[in-house]
Amino acid sequence: METIVNRDKFDFEIGYLTKSPCLSCKSRSQLPICHSECLILDKIQTLLARGISSQASSYES
């Protein structure tokens, strides 16, 4: 099932991660194998994907 992500919030509205949830996880000894099935990381990634960067990008040619 495909998740549709509406990009409707700026990154400053979402906030930022101050501590990895993996640091206190009971499955920490299984890193990095466990990350693909982690529901907490999935929720965090979905929330962050909703954000639109508030920083202007500038590229020099």
Side-chain angles (χ1 to χ4, degrees):
M1 189 163 124
E2 189 174 317
T3 303
I4 297 172
V5 177
N6 292 324
R7 295 179 53 89
D8 57 356
K9 292 190 177 200
F10 288 98
D11 55 4
F12 59 82
E13 293 178 285
I14 293 172
Y16 55 93
L17 200 58
T18 58
K19 178 183 171 188
S20 171
C22 301
L23 292 175
S24 58
C25 181
K26 64 181 178 181
S27 301
R28 184 174 181 208
S29 62
Q30 298 174 6
L31 277 170
I33 298 167
C34 57
H35 84 277
S36 62
E37 297 178 10
C38 180
L39 296 178
I40 294 172
L41 290 179
D42 184 53
K43 288 179 183 181
I44 291 170
Q45 289 171 343
T46 301
L47 180 66
L48 293 176
R50 292 180 61 202
I52 301 169
S53 177
S54 62
Q55 295 182 347
S57 60
S58 61
Y59 298 97
E60 293 182 24
S61 299

